Amino acid sequence: MTAWGRPLVPLRQFVVKMHSRCDLACDHCYVYEHADQSWSARPKVISPDVLRSAAERIAEHAAAHGLDTVHVVLHGGEPLLAGHDRLRGAAEALTTALDGVCALDLRIHTNAVTLDERFLDLFDEFDIKVGVSLDGDKAANDLHRRYANGRSSHDRVLRGIALLDRPRYRHLFAGILCTIDVRNDPVAVYDALAELGPPRLDFLLPHATWDEPPLRPADDTDGTAYARWLLAVYDRWAADGRPMDVRIFDSVLRTLRGDSSLTESLGLAPADLAVIETDGSFEQADSLKTAYDGAPVTGMDVITHSLDEVAAHPGLAARQQGLNGLSDQCRACPVVRSCGGGLYAHRYRTGSGFLNPSVYCSDLLRLITDIQDRQDRQDRQDRHMSEQLDQSDQFDQSVQPALADEHLDELAAGLGSTATTDLLAHHQLSLGRELLGLVWHETPPSEPGAAAWDVLTELDQQAPEAVDAVLAHPYTRTWALHCVRGHAKGVADSAVRGVAEIAAAAALRAGRATTVVVPVHGGLLRLPTLGALSVGETVEQVVVRADADGFRVLAEDRTYTVAWKGDKDPAWQGLRVHELDGWSVVLEDTDPWRDCHGHPAHPRLAESEAAAWGAQLDAAWAWIRTELPQYADALAAGLRAITPLRPSPENADISSAARDAFGAVAIARPSTPESLALLLVHEFQHVKLGAVMDLVDLHDPTCTQRFYAPWRPDPRPLEGLLQGTYAHLAVVDFWRARWRAGGGPQAEVQFSRWRDQTGEALETLAESGGLTAAGERFVAGMREALARDQVSPDALSEARRAAREHRRGSLGPG
């Protein structure tokens, strides 16, 4: 069959209306508040016969076109109003009809106000993913999403999301859909939604046409208010490290590089969606209800018409013509292949129908071009960094080291000799030098900055080892990445201040007589690898005069004389270096950039707290050297700093390793030396693997699939699973050592549990399809290294019981 002389595009996405009414009265709803009012004449609930016929039609269409997957969304109104039994009937009808035909991606979209455990158990049974509508914090959400009596729905929605966020249901959470209102603060909306931890956010432009244009502020003279709102969200999302997918941003980035969009509102991909109403009629996309009464109508139904006939309908065919279906203005636009003319419904104007640009045309142009500019700037920075890694500069750096196969195999076993760890550290130092060069290249010129840079350049020629020592400090890289990723004045100030701090610290380490003007932030002079000096909140800059004996700091109202190897000035916070047998490590509680681990850093330790840390470190290190000697060499060679974290309210073990802080781990001091030993070896695995992945591509970076780890309830990107599995090799070895050292039955159970779960994760990695050849070699090495000791039947049984309980809500180290 063809549509308008073109080959028929099969339908792959289906919206099934389970209930045609809603328990909320949202004033921006396209079903009830826009031009098309056909809902009022339809049955409230879809019947079993219609469900069965719909499922058969979908299966028939999938079989005829050899589809590998169909996507079905149970929708409304509010689909939960259909009740548990009717939703079960829909899931059973679709599952039965498509069995042996193709895969079924089944979802439900709900306002979540009546979501309960019984619904979620049903969704878990049929693997129905759940999307939730929420417009932000309470003030933002209540602008539109209220009950008919005006009562807020916000608390009920949060209650539903909290249920969905429980470990046993977390895998069902598909994401949150937010309709934009430019009166809301975009950053506050994003923060409120991001705090809920959704795997995806979807920001929707409110439905509007040229006849009924969207709300715009009075000062929106260029028609880009919605773009500016979204760009504020984009910048916040990017600054946060893009912690979840955001469909509109991901779609723009994908279409800019020539890939397909993830939403029908962008890109030129042909429409492949049909709606099945509660009475069994086929309609086009719901968004057309905003255009005019009857706009989505096809005149067809599930009883008498096939989906091939629906796909050939002129309305769907018009949305499958790509460039040829757009207005002249759209076809001439430089971003047309990304924009695609915007959502079809948003083009409508009486008299010219849908042959118009989107009513959001100016917004889409601004949004796409500004995102492209941001991405181009990031790409230039990445290329500059890559180019710098291949050539020498004024710091006369070494060529980027490479990992030979034997190094990779050694590290894959979970270990690492002193020489191999030194190789990783050498690369990280080279990267740190390049980042410093990039910071300086991107920083606007200033007199204090130029003077500090001159000092640093001279020092690198005369005492390069002193410069290396400062640049190798773990949090120097954290500072540098903050600078290269930002563009605001505050970031430029931070760049100048950081260069001056590095120059002053390097001069002190070299014992060279020199003077550096150092800007001060928050009353604190930071000297990385040495410590920090409190100079008072009113001081904006200080003069650091270094000599062979120490240094003097001259501020506006005070002169400090500080010997960095241990002066008694109470304003001086020197680094606490803890010397162990074969290992020198810093308790880093002064550096302002240490607060990058996802948990609050502990403030400066009191002397008694530092002493308690020292005692535990002594005992933990002795245990590692005795019971886990295979991990000791790498720890001693590569772990330079331990950052104390604030304890949790429950006093649970907390630890972390930041991807961009090689040589540091962060830990809340645990209750026993053995626990500290576990956290040290576990987190340093993350440190090592991060450095490996700076050198070698272990996985395809374009792989967007997420995978479940046995120790976490939420799916992880492939890199996250790889990191977690590598870290758990150390967990397995720790419990094996505890067991062999007489730790009793509980240690044997823990060994069995973590060994089996790590083995399960390794199988997931091996079958992921996203590993490179080097990644496959690395995973094979991990599998070979996984301990195979036999355990007793009782320990095996107890381990499996513990794993089941863990999946129901308790998290292990990860």
Side-chain angles (χ1 to χ4, degrees):
M1 182 177 288
T2 62
W4 283 18
R6 295 164 51 85
L8 184 140
V9 176
L11 303 174
R12 301 172 184 270
Q13 302 183 69
F14 304 93
V15 174
V16 178
K17 296 301 188 77
M18 297 299 301
H19 200 283
S20 66
R21 305 297 189 271
C22 188
D23 40 8
L24 296 183
C26 308
D27 59 15
H28 57 10
C29 180
Y30 55 79
V31 175
Y32 305 111
E33 302 297 331
H34 286 244
D36 185 280
Q37 293 291 299
S38 56
W39 62 271
S40 59
R42 291 201 170 100
K44 289 183 179 180
V45 185
I46 195 169
S47 70
D49 289 342
V50 169
L51 278 173
R52 185 169 51 254
S53 296
E56 291 169 354
R57 288 296 190 190
I58 292 171
E60 172 188 70
H61 190 69
H65 295 277
L67 303 182
D68 55 1
T69 305
V70 295
H71 309 271
V72 179
V73 179
L74 307 179
H75 212 282
E78 170 49 50
L80 297 186
L81 294 179
H84 303 84
D85 292 344
R86 194 59 51 91
L87 289 171
R88 173 178 290 278
E92 290 175 341
L94 288 161
T95 302
T96 300
L98 289 164
D99 185 32
V101 177
C102 70
L104 169 64
D105 173 25
L106 186 56
R107 297 170 182 259
I108 189 166
H109 196 90
T110 173
N111 59 34
V113 298
T114 59
L115 191 63
D116 60 20
E117 291 190 32
R118 188 178 169 203
F119 276 126
L120 289 171
D121 287 338
L122 170 64
F123 301 157
D124 187 29
E125 180 182 348
F126 289 94
D127 195 27
I128 303 173
K129 301 298 190 291
V130 184
V132 177
S133 294
L134 181 67
D135 287 349
D137 56 16
K138 188 175 188 298
N141 194 69
D142 287 354
L143 270 181
H144 301 287
R145 296 188 182 277
R146 291 178 174 269
Y147 289 92
N149 63 4
R151 183 165 53 94
S152 169
S153 66
H154 187 256
D155 290 346
R156 295 296 298 273
V157 180
L158 292 190
R159 183 198 60 81
I161 291 176
L163 279 176
L164 189 55
D165 198 41
R166 290 182 180 177
R168 62 184 294 191
Y169 301 128
R170 177 74 187 183
H171 64 286
L172 301 174
F173 196 6
I176 295 175
L177 181 149
C178 169
T179 300
I180 297 167
D181 190 312
V182 290
R183 294 171 293 182
N184 293 325
D185 181 332
V187 173
V189 167
Y190 168 81
D191 286 348
L193 298 177
E195 187 178 356
L196 300 173
R200 167 178 280 183
L201 289 177
D202 197 2
F203 292 99
L204 297 186
L205 294 167
H207 288 315
T209 68
W210 289 102
D211 292 349
E212 296 288 339
L215 168 75
R216 290 192 178 277
D219 61 352
D220 187 20
T221 56
D222 61 352
T224 64
Y226 289 88
R228 285 182 272 115
W229 197 97
L230 281 165
L231 288 166
V233 174
Y234 181 93
D235 290 339
R236 182 66 161 214
W237 173 66
D240 282 352
R242 302 182 181 185
M244 79 290 290
D245 296 337
V246 177
R247 190 163 67 160
I248 189 169
F249 300 149
D250 291 335
S251 293
V252 170
L253 292 168
R254 285 172 60 89
T255 54
L256 284 173
R257 62 176 181 257
D259 293 337
S260 61
S261 173
L262 302 173
T263 171
E264 65 173 333
S265 61
L266 291 168
L268 292 167
D272 62 356
L273 178 144
V275 177
I276 301 168
E277 290 285 355
T278 56
D279 61 358
S281 59
F282 285 119
E283 288 203 341
Q284 302 175 64
D286 267 354
S287 56
L288 287 172
K289 294 179 183 293
T290 199
Y292 58 88
D293 194 15
V297 171
T298 66
M300 304 181 197
D301 63 72
V302 296
I303 305 301
T304 57
H305 299 89
S306 71
L307 279 165
D308 276 11
E309 293 175 281
V310 177
H313 184 275
L316 273 93
R319 295 162 53 221
Q320 297 174 347
Q321 297 181 75
L323 277 173
N324 293 332
L326 300 180
S327 67
D328 291 342
Q329 181 179 337
C330 287
R331 289 200 299 271
C333 179
V335 300
V336 64
R337 295 191 178 277
S338 186
C339 170
L343 190 69
Y344 189 74
H346 295 172
R347 306 174 202 168
Y348 183 75
R349 187 197 301 265
T350 301
S352 52
F354 297 95
L355 199 61
N356 306 288
S358 169
V359 73
Y360 293 104
C361 177
S362 297
D363 293 291
L364 293 171
L365 178 62
R366 169 79 179 272
L367 177 68
I368 293 166
T369 54
D370 277 27
I371 288 179
Q372 185 169 32
D373 288 345
R374 285 160 166 77
Q375 190 62 38
D376 287 347
R377 186 161 54 237
Q378 184 64 51
D379 289 345
R380 285 195 300 271
Q381 291 174 353
D382 292 345
R383 284 195 300 272
H384 179 79
M385 192 180 304
S386 178
E387 291 165 1
Q388 291 290 332
L389 288 170
D390 294 332
Q391 57 184 322
S392 298
D393 65 3
Q394 58 185 318
F395 280 104
D396 191 26
Q397 70 190 48
S398 301
V399 176
Q400 174 181 338
L403 284 179
D405 286 346
E406 59 266 27
H407 297 136
L408 198 64
D409 293 343
E410 176 190 310
L411 290 161
L415 309 174
S417 64
T418 298
T420 300
T421 308
D422 284 345
L423 183 61
L424 295 178
H426 179 70
H427 166 73
Q428 292 294 307
L429 176 60
S430 296
L431 185 56
R433 284 177 165 270
E434 288 313 319
L435 283 169
L436 177 61
L438 184 57
V439 168
W440 184 245
H441 177 77
E442 297 290 333
T443 300
S446 69
E447 184 175 342
W453 187 259
D454 289 343
V455 170
L456 192 55
T457 303
E458 182 178 351
L459 284 168
D460 196 59
Q461 295 169 351
Q462 298 174 355
E465 69 286 348
V467 177
D468 281 351
V470 181
L471 293 182
H473 184 59
Y475 300 116
T476 299
R477 178 172 172 180
T478 307
W479 157 80
L481 285 171
H482 166 78
C483 294
V484 300
R485 288 170 177 166
H487 310 289
K489 179 182 182 299
V491 173
D493 292 344
S494 178
V496 172
R497 183 170 65 253
V499 168
E501 291 168 346
I502 292 168
L508 291 169
R509 297 190 71 91
R512 299 298 177 108
T514 190
T515 298
V516 184
V517 177
V518 184
V520 171
H521 180 69
L524 196 70
L525 167 65
R526 168 183 176 259
L527 293 170
T529 73
L530 302 179
L533 182 71
S534 178
V535 296
E537 292 286 343
T538 61
V539 177
E540 295 183 356
Q541 67 179 29
V542 297
V543 179
V544 178
R545 292 182 180 171
D547 55 42
D549 297 324
F551 67 95
R552 285 191 301 155
V553 177
L554 307 179
E556 292 179 0
D557 57 347
R558 292 181 64 184
T559 298
Y560 296 99
T561 302
V562 180
W564 63 269
K565 290 186 178 180
D567 194 85
K568 298 301 183 182
D569 187 332
W572 173 243
Q573 300 176 5
L575 243 63
R576 290 185 161 109
V577 181
H578 199 71
E579 298 291 348
L580 297 146
D581 183 12
W583 182 28
S584 177
V585 66
V586 169
L587 276 176
E588 178 55 89
D589 60 353
T590 67
D591 197 304
W593 294 102
R594 73 190 188 279
D595 210 353
C596 63
H597 292 276
H599 300 281
H602 200 291
R604 176 72 168 174
L605 297 172
E607 291 300 326
S608 59
E609 294 171 322
W613 260 105
Q616 268 211 351
L617 273 172
D618 288 338
W621 181 238
W623 196 92
I624 290 170
R625 285 171 60 88
T626 302
E627 305 297 342
L628 285 175
Q630 67 271 37
Y631 287 90
D633 287 347
L635 271 173
L639 186 55
R640 301 184 182 91
I642 299 171
T643 294
L645 296 175
R646 288 185 182 274
S648 71
E650 304 81 14
N651 285 319
D653 288 346
I654 297 176
S655 62
S656 176
R659 179 69 169 81
D660 298 322
F662 177 81
V665 299
I667 297 172
R669 185 167 63 87
S671 57
T672 66
E674 290 82 4
S675 295
L676 180 56
L678 170 59
L679 298 176
L680 286 170
V681 296
H682 171 81
E683 294 301 342
F684 194 61
Q685 292 288 92
H686 288 298
V687 173
K688 287 187 293 183
L689 187 56
V692 169
M693 291 194 288
D694 282 340
L695 279 169
V696 181
D697 287 330
L698 299 182
H699 65 92
D700 180 355
T702 66
C703 176
T704 59
Q705 186 177 354
R706 290 177 176 260
F707 304 86
Y708 282 97
W711 47 81
R712 292 185 67 116
D714 54 326
R716 307 288 292 153
L718 190 54
E719 180 173 336
L721 179 61
L722 191 58
Q723 279 274 7
T725 307
Y726 189 65
H728 274 79
L729 283 181
V731 176
V732 174
D733 286 342
F734 170 86
W735 284 110
R736 180 181 183 275
R738 284 287 302 272
W739 172 34
R740 294 303 188 193
Q746 187 58 35
E748 183 183 12
V749 169
Q750 291 293 331
F751 164 70
S752 178
R753 170 189 169 188
W754 292 116
R755 178 197 59 186
D756 292 350
Q757 291 195 333
T758 303
E760 182 182 338
L762 284 166
E763 294 305 316
T764 301
L765 285 168
E767 297 169 2
S768 68
L771 299 176
T772 62
E776 291 175 351
R777 181 184 184 115
F778 196 83
V779 169
M782 285 197 286
R783 293 169 78 177
E784 184 66 25
L786 185 65
R788 306 292 179 187
D789 304 53
Q790 292 293 320
V791 298
S792 66
D794 288 346
L796 183 61
S797 175
E798 178 64 17
R800 290 174 176 171
R801 186 195 63 77
R804 288 194 299 271
E805 288 186 357
H806 171 76
R807 285 192 170 98
R808 286 197 292 267
S810 62
L811 296 178

